[in-house]
């Protein structure tokens, strides 16, 4: 069953203010097949700015990048989000680690490093990338599905490694046997939380805790003595417990896991810090809530104080925000390069972008919804106008799944979006693209090059922070052995 925009607004009115309902209904209208209703004059003017871009600054981003599409990041938003994370409530000290997989651009790494934020890396390659950006090795923590073959070299440099499986703990123990090597232990606490699943124990692409997740050492192996026995066998020094429940974490689950995680700290008397990994929900669209870090952090700080009263041990808190720091600080700036339509039942108007799953994979992978704003190709706010149109937004790949406007949580279902009526050459800004977009793209599919990136400063000036990939770089590592055929 499909709902009209009016029906959706009526349902939302149960929980949202009238202003929020109106904003939502005008920004997000799903699959109507009535062509006569697709183009209309808006009750109010079309938006003249996106989250942090105007028609003028969006055009500046393309001009500075020298190409469309490009990723744009807001310097002021990055700084503001860093300050919020560094103010997270803690009882006995705080270390904020940026989950760099969210957006690993070197300029952003340098900015956060300068702000006093450390790094959470997910591979040995990310460690090297962070160090190349000037991050000290002892400011980097590694939690990985694949322990690097050179893990000892990295640990000797000062990188803090969390053993994420029994075999990883054994490998570290065997190498450092009898040396009192410091190590962290990542525990799967038995529950998780993901932005696209209501289940705390079932499988979800964004859920990395619970019995349906392979991440971390299963909690029972810590509690039944298996892990403590390995630690004792090799004389390891467990300095840190790490848990992670997923991206877009539910605050109630996050707080519950904090208490559960502290129980693991009791098992190892040498533990000095507890890393409560897991993302914080960021509302990308109107009506979606964002996590209040102060609200979620105070009960956790209280739990640390209670632990100290009971054990006499004051533990340092570590957190690993990724999405919270960069999601709404980034946008994909694209150009409408074609416009087509179909007729009959199930027909649509389609806007084809010069970007797609090669740049923002989240809609195709998760059915994620991103805010969108269309600006005139002239880059002039005066040309915005008031006419709107419902259309399906698709990418440039020869791939039916290259869809930018799916039904929420349903990547294989088309949805229309009511936006400013677009012409070929207009600019489309997809906000909420700072996290898991540039760093998680399918670049080079159909041989499309990697898009450039720019940073927009407080004055609205754009600065190039990654060049567009040159065509030859796509195939430069290919080789054909002589005489093969």
């Amino acid at each position: 069953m499909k709902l009209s925009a009016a029906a959706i607004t009526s349902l939302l009115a149960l929980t949202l203010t009238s202003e929020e309902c109106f904003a939502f209904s005008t920004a997000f209208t799903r699959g109507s097949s009535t062509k006569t209703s697709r183009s209309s004059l808006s009750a109010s003017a079309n938006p003249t700015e996106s989250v942090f871009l105007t028609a003028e600054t969006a055009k500046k981003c393309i001009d500075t990048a020298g190409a469309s599409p490009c990723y744009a990041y807001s310097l002021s938003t990055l700084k503001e989000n860093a300050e919020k994370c560094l103010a997270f409530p803690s009882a006995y000290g705080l270390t904020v680690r940026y989950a760099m997989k969210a957006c690993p651009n070197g300029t952003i790494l340098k900015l956060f490093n300068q702000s006093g934020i450390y790094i959470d890396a997910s591979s040995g390659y990310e460690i090297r990338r962070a160090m190349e950006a000037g991050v000290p090795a002892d400011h980097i923590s590694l939690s990985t599905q694949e322990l690097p073959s050179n893990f000892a070299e990295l640990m000797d440099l000062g990188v803090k490694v969390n053993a994420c499986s029994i075999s990883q703990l054994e490998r570290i123990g065997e190498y450092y046997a009898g040396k009192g090597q410091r190590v962290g232990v990542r525990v799967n606490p038995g529950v998780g939380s993901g932005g696209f699943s209501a289940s705390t124990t079932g499988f979800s692409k964004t859920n990395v805790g619970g019995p349906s997740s392979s991440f971390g050492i299963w909690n029972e192996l810590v509690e039944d003595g298996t892990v403590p026995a390995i630690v004792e066998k090799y004389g390891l020094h467990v300095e840190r417990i790490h848990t992670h429940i997923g991206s877009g974490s539910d605050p109630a689950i996050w707080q519950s896991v904090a208490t559960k995680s502290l129980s693991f700290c009791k098992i190892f008397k040498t533990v000095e810090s507890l890393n409560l990994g897991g993302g914080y929900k960021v509302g990308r669209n109107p009506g979606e809530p964002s996590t209040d870090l102060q609200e979620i952090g105070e009960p956790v700080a209280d739990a640390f104080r209670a632990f100290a009263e009971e054990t006499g041990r004051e533990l340092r808190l570590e957190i690993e925000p990724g999405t919270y720091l960069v999601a709404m600080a980034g946008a994909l700036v694209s150009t409408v390069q074609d416009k087509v339509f179909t007729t009959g039942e199930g027909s649509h108007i389609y806007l084809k972008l010069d970007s797609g799953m090669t740049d923002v994979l989240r809609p195709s992978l998760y059915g994620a919804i991103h805010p969108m704003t269309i600006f005139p190709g002239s880059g002039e706010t005066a040309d915005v106008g008031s006419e709107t149109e419902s259309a399906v937004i698709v990418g440039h790949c020869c791939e039916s799944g290259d869809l930018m406007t799916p039904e929420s949580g349903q990547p294989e279902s088309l949805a229309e979006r009511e936006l400013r009526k677009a012409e070929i050459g207009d600019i489309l800004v997809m906000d909420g693209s700072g996290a898991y977009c540039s760093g998680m793209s399918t670049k080079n599919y159909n041989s499309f090059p990697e898009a450039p990136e720019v940073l927009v400063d407080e004055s609205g000036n754009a600065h190039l922070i990654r060049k567009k990939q040159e065509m030859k770089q796509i195939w430069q590592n290919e080789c054909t052995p002589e005489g093969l055929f």
Side-chain angles (χ1 to χ4, degrees):
M1 178 180 72
K2 292 185 177 181
L3 299 176
S4 67
I8 293 173
T9 303
S10 296
L11 290 172
L12 286 171
L14 295 173
T15 56
L16 302 182
T17 66
S18 59
E19 290 81 8
E20 288 172 329
C21 288
F22 179 77
F24 192 94
S25 64
T26 55
F28 181 33
T29 301
R30 296 182 181 174
S32 166
S33 60
T34 307
K35 202 166 290 295
T36 56
S37 67
R38 288 181 180 162
S39 181
S40 62
L41 290 177
S42 176
S44 62
N46 279 306
T48 57
E49 59 184 62
S50 63
V51 171
F52 64 88
L53 294 174
T54 62
E56 287 78 9
T57 52
K59 184 69 161 55
K60 277 185 186 178
C61 289
I62 293 174
D63 292 343
T64 300
S68 172
C70 66
Y71 300 95
Y73 304 97
S74 166
L75 179 59
S76 60
T77 305
L78 290 170
K79 288 181 177 180
E80 179 183 344
N81 292 344
E83 291 175 0
K84 289 180 180 178
C85 289
L86 289 166
F88 193 95
S90 64
Y92 308 109
L94 172 72
T95 298
V96 178
R97 296 187 181 277
Y98 171 51
M100 65 175 284
K101 62 180 181 286
C103 186
N105 183 280
T107 297
I108 293 175
L109 296 180
K110 291 174 183 177
L111 173 65
F112 288 150
N113 181 49
Q114 182 178 304
S115 301
I117 291 177
Y118 288 26
I119 291 296
D120 161 48
S122 297
S123 71
Y125 300 104
E126 282 193 343
I127 290 173
R128 289 299 185 183
R129 190 169 183 174
M131 291 176 65
E132 187 69 21
V135 180
D138 61 357
H139 286 196
I140 303 171
S141 174
L142 174 68
S143 299
T144 180
Q145 287 282 78
E146 179 185 352
L147 189 66
S149 58
N150 66 335
F151 70 87
E153 174 189 345
L154 299 174
M155 294 180 78
D156 290 345
L157 288 173
V159 174
K160 298 182 180 301
V161 175
N162 298 312
C164 297
S165 69
I166 292 296
S167 68
Q168 288 188 17
L169 187 61
E170 286 276 5
R171 287 173 62 188
I172 294 170
E174 288 172 359
Y175 187 89
Y176 290 105
K179 297 181 180 180
Q181 175 63 39
R182 288 176 170 264
V183 68
V185 174
R186 175 170 176 171
V187 183
N188 181 331
V191 295
S193 176
F196 300 94
S197 173
S199 173
T200 60
T201 57
F203 174 75
S204 168
K205 292 177 181 177
T206 55
N207 188 338
V208 293
S212 296
S213 171
S214 67
F215 293 84
I217 298 174
W218 187 240
N219 59 91
E220 292 177 0
L221 296 175
V222 177
E223 296 168 330
D224 70 5
T226 300
V227 172
I230 296 173
V231 169
E232 183 178 1
K233 175 182 176 182
Y234 296 111
L236 296 172
H237 180 102
V238 179
E239 64 175 348
R240 181 176 54 265
I241 292 295
H242 180 287
T243 57
H244 194 298
I245 61 175
S247 188
S249 307
D250 179 86
I253 296 173
W254 202 88
Q255 292 168 6
S256 173
V257 170
T259 301
K260 177 68 173 177
S261 300
L262 285 167
S263 71
F264 304 137
C265 296
K266 291 181 181 178
I267 296 174
F268 303 97
K269 308 301 182 184
T270 54
V271 168
E272 300 167 5
S273 62
L274 172 59
N275 186 314
L276 294 174
Y280 308 110
K281 173 66 179 175
V282 171
R284 286 180 168 85
N285 299 285
E288 293 180 355
S290 290
T291 304
D292 184 325
L293 297 189
Q294 293 298 311
E295 180 182 359
I296 196 177
E298 285 299 343
V300 173
D302 290 341
F304 273 60
R305 294 186 188 97
F307 179 88
E309 291 178 5
E310 179 183 351
T311 65
R313 296 160 57 195
E314 298 180 350
L315 301 184
R316 186 176 186 85
L317 170 66
E318 296 188 3
I319 60 173
E320 296 177 348
T323 295
Y324 191 92
L325 280 165
V326 297
M328 296 307 290
L332 179 68
V333 183
S334 308
T335 300
V336 177
Q337 51 90 10
D338 205 350
K339 183 177 183 178
V340 302
F341 68 88
T342 55
T343 61
E345 185 177 355
S347 64
H348 301 281
I349 293 172
Y350 298 89
L351 301 182
K352 297 183 179 182
L353 305 181
D354 62 357
S355 64
M357 61 190 293
T358 47
D359 311 285
V360 175
L361 182 61
R362 298 180 73 254
S364 298
L365 184 63
Y366 304 129
I369 305 299
H370 284 257
M372 294 180 178
T373 308
I374 295 179
F375 293 128
S378 65
E380 298 289 338
T381 296
D383 296 333
V384 168
S386 59
E387 194 170 5
T388 64
E389 187 172 60
S390 292
V392 174
I393 316 301
V394 298
H396 55 181
C397 291
C398 186
E399 174 66 48
S400 59
D402 193 4
L403 173 66
M404 309 304 270
T405 55
E407 291 278 2
S408 179
Q410 301 180 48
E412 296 190 11
S413 297
L414 298 179
E416 291 186 351
R417 198 78 67 89
E418 186 176 343
L419 300 164
R420 174 186 175 274
K421 187 175 182 180
E423 303 296 339
I424 294 175
D426 281 349
I427 299 169
L428 187 145
V429 174
M430 181 181 290
D431 281 305
S433 300
Y436 301 99
C437 291
S438 170
M440 197 176 72
S441 69
T442 57
K443 66 179 183 182
N444 297 163
Y445 184 53
N446 288 175
S447 292
F448 284 112
E450 183 178 48
E453 294 177 295
V454 299
L455 185 65
V456 181
D457 65 23
E458 289 90 340
S459 299
N461 297 313
H463 306 268
L464 186 67
I465 60 173
R466 185 177 71 189
K467 300 176 182 178
K468 179 180 179 179
Q469 184 181 35
E470 295 180 6
M471 282 295 296
K472 288 186 177 181
Q473 291 178 315
I474 297 175
W475 60 78
Q476 67 181 5
N477 293 328
E478 297 175 4
C479 55
T480 302
E482 291 186 14
L484 181 61
F485 48 78

